[in-house]
Each structure stands twice: as structure tokens, then as C-alpha cells.
Amino acid sequence: MDHDELLRIADAERAKAKPNEIRCCTSSGCRASGSADVLKQLKASVAANGLNDTLTAVGVGCPGLCSAGPVVMSHPDGGMFGKVTAEQAKGIVAALSGGATDAQRIDPNQPFFRKQFRVVRATAGQIDPERIESYIAVGGYEGLYQALQKRPDEIVTDVTASGLRGRGGAGYPTGLKWATVEKMPPGQKYVICNGDEGDPGAFMDRSVMEDAPHQVLEGMAIAAYAVGANQGFIYVRAEYPLAIERLQAAITQATKAGLLGANIFQTPFEFKVEIRIGAGAFVCGEETALIASVQGLRGTPRPRPPYPAESGLWDRPTLINNVETFATIPAISRNGAAWFAAIGTDRSKGTKIFSLTGKVKNAGLVEVPMGTTLRAVVEELGGGTADGKAVKAVQTGGPSGGCIPASLLDTPIDYESLGKIGSIMGSGGMIVMDDTDRMPEVARFFMEFCADESCGKCVPCRVGTVQLHGLLTKLVERKATRHDLDTLVELCQLVRDTSLCGLGQSAPNPVLSTIRYFAAEYEALLQPEEFARPPRASVIPLSVV
């Protein structure tokens, strides 16, 4: 394929579009609520009413408001319906001609939609994720073409200048990581897309893989060209069958179209992509454990250095980024580094996707500029709690993050600001809790998760998380003394300081953050006769990684 052919495909796809479309979300959330049957009935109703020349019903990616699924949208009038049943499909089609429908209408101008700024999810709810032509029609693969007109080092410079930081959790500068791989001696190099999203309540990457699989592939191809790799792998957990299905279809389509494989856009650049399916181990989100799993070994981390950028997959230089990071790259290639760097804050550029869940009214996916406050996300986009109760805390960063009290909701969302208050951005999980939630129980939940998911390679994590869970259980069951509480804090610090990988090192964060901000709840659970004992000097102050 050459550039002219790419443009012809885009023109042809746009030319055959009908004047009106009914778009039905076919992502996992809406599918679980019956959207496949809704789409089937929408298509049948269009045909039964003889509207095939002017109206079409299509499956699209997630528009974001998952709590209202199945969601159906009409284009171009901007109509939106929620919790649609298959029986209501006929009425929705009739409503486009002035008829009546009992389907629940959704205001598309409410803050949940109006206050988002979509870069990665720009096409969500608009294109058919199962057709490459649909992606090309909205500018897909144009970023790859433009990248191939530059030298690889120029691409690395652009990514560095954009200020993009890895969206997988650590926030490491993407350009610096790319530059390290690019500067390794010539030879076999690899690109890996980390799709092993395992945080409780997180589904950002799953949605991107389901809704925009070609966007992920395009970002990987640009990265491969920049660092000199010709082989890529996408590591996806088996719990994401729809993402795997659509990624595999996208790889096949792109290869057939000449956008993957040899002589891409009639250049010497060659890049192939394969999928590796993980068994669902949380630790395989850690990049050295992921590499071991791709190689067919047990997924456990190893000490660093050497870093994967120097010695990764099969001991070769390997670039690993997560799904959202790669999916951001095409927009930077098309619009330029300065455009992206103008979004966000001084040190946290661009946008971030969050899966907003828990006791929030509008649960789903939101993409906002870095620097947006937690309050704006929870209270404006999220609409506050579902039943009107007061927001008590927000958990960011999953089991590696912290619980932020409502008094700090005006904190801007960026890497540095969240770190200062004892949490992390993580990959984008955001769980809202109300005043009925008990924070020691929340801490115990996350510690149980970490103990279950520990790979067992290092003693501090393998044994420490189990002991921490036991102490938290003792507290929750009102059997603990102040000595137990002191031991809990000391053990948190030991696990944090001595675990092998970041997962173990960050496992105590939910415990430390809840003790820091909700100490009274822990105190109230201690045995009464222990209250009189003076606290040990080692308990405070607390710090959280």
C-alpha cells in the first residue's frame, strides 16, 4: 500500500456512509448487558422499514458511560439512549422519523461528555472497531505514514519533546525509554505492548484494545520504526477475549493491507506483530515478569539492571510500553509534539484515561487533561455518589495506590501531585467510596489481593503481605492491640523497602494511606484496654512510595 491508496480507502469509506447512522456500543460492558441483541434488532428494524438507503445500524466502540449500557446513539443528530433493550430497538428507529420511543434518553451535553478531552479515545463510539476501513476513514495510519517520512531519531526526538510519560503506572518518560533502545547496537530488537491490565476496577486498556485495535498497532509500528525493531508482541490476559479477538482481526487486516509486514508504505521498514495470551497473573504487569512469560517461562520479576531496554526479550534490547501509551503515539505523529505538550501541566503532559467506578453515579471511562482535579472527575463528570451520600475517599492506582480523603479532592491529577499526598496515578483505576465504607476493611481487601497475587519469588512480598493481611483481619475483627497496629506499620515499611519488584514495594500503600488519613478508624478498632498504652516512637511519620 502507498499513501495514495490509503487516501482512496478513506475517501471510499466516507463516500458510502449513509446520511444517518444508529450506533450501538459493542464493547464488553454493553455486550454483557445485551447489546448484541439490541444491534441485531436495530438492523432488522431498519430493513423492515425500508430505510437501508438512508440509515444504517452499526456496532461501535465504548462511548464511555458504562453504567447506562447498552448505549445507542444516533448520528448526526447526537441523540443518545441508555439501558436499551432489544424490544426498544424498533421504537428507537421510529423515533428518528418523529415516532415515539420509551427508551431512556441520555443528555449528550452533560458534564460527563462535555468536560472530557479525548485524544486516545477520540474515535470511541464513532467507528466500527472490527473494520480497518472505518479506522482509515478517520485518519488511521496517517500517523505511521508521516513517521516513515522522518528519520528514526527524529521520531524519538518528537516523542521526547511531547513530554509523554508512560501510562502504565510509573510515569517514566517515554522518549527517554525509546532513546535508550534506539541507541543500542544494531541487531534484533523487540517492541512489546503490555496489555496485562490487572488492577481491580481498571478497564482502560481493555477498552482501548477493544475499541481501537488498529490505533494500538499503529502506535507500536511507529515505535518499532523509531527504535529499529521488526518484531512486536502484544501481551493480553485471557480474561479479555473480545480484545484478543479484535486485536487478532486487526493484525490480519493490517497485514493484508500492507500496513504490517514487509515494505510498509513501500519503504524498507518491516514490522510483524503477534499476540501472547497471559494466564491472568497480576505480577505479569511488571515488565520483567511479562518478558519471562512471553518467553514461555514462569512469570516472575528479576532484579534490574540490566533494564529491558538494554537486555530484555531473549536478552535483546526491548521496548515495553502499555496500551494507552502506544495508542497516544499516532495523535502525536499526526499533530506534532508541541500540540501534545500544550495539553496538561508542566511535568505531566497530555490526557489520561480513568475507569471511574465504585459508588459513583456515572461509572465508566473518562479522558481528561492532566491537571484536572479529582473533584472535577468525581463530582462533575462522575456526578457524585449514586445515592447522594457524601464522598469519603477516592482510591487511585489500584492495589499499588492510596486512598485519598474527600478533603483533598481539589488535588490536580498529575504524577507529582498524587505522589505528594501518598497515592499514585497508576494505570488509571479510580474507585469512589462513600461514608459507609470502612477504610481498614478497604485496606484489607487490597492486601488480600496482593497476597493472592504475589509471585512468591521474594520473601518480603510472599510472607509480608500474608502477615499484613492477618494483622488487618485482626484489626477488623476488633482483636488487635496497639502493638499490632505498630507492627502493621513497621511491617509495611519493611515490605516496601525490601521487596524485589514494584508490585511488592507498593503493596503497603493502601494500608499506609488509610492509616495516614483515617487513623481514627484504626484506633476505634483496638481493644479498649490497650488505649492507655503510649504509642511507640517508630509508628509515625508515614511516607508512601
Side-chain angles (χ1 to χ4, degrees), residues 24 27 37 77 115 119 139 151 157 168 180 199 208 241 243 272 289 299 303 321 325 340 350 474 481 514 526:
C24 179
S27 293
D37 288 339
D77 68 353
K115 295 204 170 185
V119 172
R151 297 192 312 272
T157 299
T180 304
D199 291 4
V208 173
K272 298 177 181 177
N321 283 132
T325 308
F340 187 81
K474 198 173 178 182
T481 64
T514 51
L526 298 179

Side-chain angles (χ1 to χ4, degrees), residues 314-330:
W314 292 295
D315 301 325
R316 302 303 307 169
T318 303
L319 173 68
I320 303 181
N321 283 132
N322 85 325
V323 171
E324 185 177 346
T325 308
F326 280 126
T328 306
I329 296 300

Side-chain angles (χ1 to χ4, degrees), residues 30-55:
C30 282
R31 274 197 175 195
S33 299
S35 70
D37 288 339
V38 173
L39 179 59
K40 182 179 178 181
Q41 291 303 315
L42 286 169
K43 289 181 175 180
S45 185
V46 169
N49 287 278
L51 300 173
N52 282 329
D53 291 339
T54 59
L55 176 64

Side-chain angles (χ1 to χ4, degrees), residues 275-467:
I275 295 175
R276 290 291 183 269
I277 300 174
F282 181 65
V283 73
C284 285
E286 199 277 341
E287 57 187 21
T288 61
L290 186 153
I291 286 173
S293 184
V294 170
Q295 294 179 175
L297 305 173
R298 181 179 177 184
T300 56
R302 62 163 172 79
R304 295 176 295 177
Y307 292 94
E310 304 165 293
S311 179
L313 197 61
W314 292 295
D315 301 325
R316 302 303 307 169
T318 303
L319 173 68
I320 303 181
N321 283 132
N322 85 325
V323 171
E324 185 177 346
T325 308
F326 280 126
T328 306
I329 296 300
I332 294 175
S333 181
R334 290 193 306 270
N335 301 311
W339 166 81
F340 187 81
I343 306 168
T345 68
D346 286 344
R347 298 183 62 185
S348 298
K349 303 296 186 183
T351 61
K352 181 73 189 79
I353 304 173
F354 293 95
S355 56
L356 187 60
T357 60
K359 294 177 178 177
V360 66
K361 181 180 179 181
N362 300 324
L365 293 168
V366 299
E367 183 175 1
V368 294
M370 293 283 194
T372 303
T373 66
L374 287 164
R375 187 179 302 284
V377 172
V378 174
E379 296 185 355
E380 295 181 37
L381 282 76
T385 60
D387 54 9
K389 293 180 179 176
V391 174
K392 181 176 184 176
V394 178
Q395 164 81 8
T396 65
S400 301
C403 292
I404 303 168
S407 60
L408 295 177
L409 286 183
D410 289 319
T411 301
I413 302 172
D414 60 61
Y415 295 101
E416 287 71 30
S417 297
L418 291 178
K420 287 178 182 176
I421 60 174
S423 190
I424 61 173
M425 190 175 310
S427 58
M430 187 177 290
I431 301 173
V432 178
M433 289 166 271
D434 67 21
D435 54 12
T436 65
D437 291 302
R438 299 291 171 258
M439 305 316 288
E441 295 180 20
V442 172
R444 183 175 66 161
F445 166 79
F446 282 112
M447 191 53 65
E448 181 180 14
F449 177 86
C450 290
D452 285 346
E453 293 292 341
S454 174
C455 74
K457 185 170 184 176
C458 73
V459 173
C461 179
R462 182 180 73 238
V463 179
T465 53
V466 173
Q467 294 301 315

Side-chain angles (χ1 to χ4, degrees), residues 47 50 81 88 144 147 183 197 214 217 265 272 341 366 415 428 431 452-453 493 520 526:
F81 305 89
Q88 292 173 323
L144 174 58
K183 290 176 181 175
E197 183 177 55
H214 284 286
L217 294 177
F265 280 120
K272 298 177 181 177
V366 299
Y415 295 101
I431 301 173
D452 285 346
E453 293 292 341
Q493 293 169 338
L526 298 179

